[in-house]
Amino acid sequence: EPTAGVDVELRQGLWRFMRRLNQEGHTIILTTHYLEEAEELCGRIALLKQGRVIALDHTANLLARFSGHTLSIRLDMDLPLPERLSAMPHSRSGCELSWQLEGLEQVEFILAQLRQAGIPLQDMRLSAPDLETAFMAILGEAHEHQ
């Protein structure tokens, strides 16, 4: 874990060095608990649980397979959702709502439903899939198969 406990400037320098070595044709095996580091630097990832490999694939494949975009919105006030949106699995805490999307076309659908219902948005965020979400899903699958 080469960047454990180092400051941001040194971490960035180590990342540049590892990328350069890799571009020169060297294979690098990186062990890390920092999933954002693995996502940033690794083309292939092996996820371990209790010393066993529970997933091994290209980073992009893991992200696509086990997680999707998340749409988070904040409403001006705590209003009831239109029926078609209420039927979609989501989480809600007062004026904050989130949907795990199966496809980006769902963003258009959600926004259109809110607009048609006259529900104003205060804020909106679309988050890309990340390795942490994928890792938690993989751990859940591995736990179910035990």
Side-chain angles (χ1 to χ4, degrees):
E1 294 194 27
T3 64
V6 301
D7 64 48
V8 174
E9 187 177 13
L10 181 55
R11 179 181 308 121
Q12 294 296 322
L14 287 168
W15 284 13
R16 282 191 301 276
F17 177 67
M18 286 187 277
R19 281 190 190 102
R20 190 180 79 231
L21 286 175
N22 187 249
Q23 288 168 353
E24 291 172 356
H26 299 277
T27 298
I28 299 170
I29 297 175
L30 172 70
T31 59
T32 183
H33 284 92
Y34 301 125
L35 296 177
E36 64 279 354
E37 180 173 62
E39 188 174 343
E40 176 74 25
L41 295 174
C42 300
R44 287 179 30 121
I45 294 179
L47 298 174
L48 304 173
K49 179 180 180 186
Q50 297 176 338
R52 290 186 24 241
V53 174
I54 59 172
L56 173 61
D57 206 339
H58 291 277
T59 307
N61 294 343
L62 287 172
L63 291 172
R65 181 174 164 206
F66 291 105
S67 63
H69 285 80
T70 301
L71 176 65
S72 302
I73 62 170
R74 187 171 3 153
L75 304 177
D76 284 334
M77 57 190 96
D78 189 5
L79 297 170
L81 287 176
E83 186 176 325
R84 292 177 75 185
L85 288 185
S86 292
M88 292 176 64
H90 66 281
S91 62
R92 183 173 193 155
S93 176
C95 296
E96 306 275 338
L97 295 107
S98 292
W99 287 268
Q100 285 295 122
L101 305 178
E102 293 176 14
L104 289 176
E105 66 282 351
Q106 288 182 305
V107 172
E108 293 177 66
F109 174 77
I110 292 167
L111 295 178
Q113 291 294 307
L114 292 170
R115 189 172 38 257
Q116 288 173 7
I119 299 174
L121 298 181
Q122 186 176 3
D123 194 15
M124 177 181 79
R125 183 178 66 251
L126 183 63
S127 305
D130 64 13
L131 196 55
E132 183 172 338
T133 304
F135 182 64
M136 296 308 292
I138 293 165
L139 281 178
E141 281 187 2
H143 184 69
E144 289 173 7
H145 290 49
Q146 288 182 349

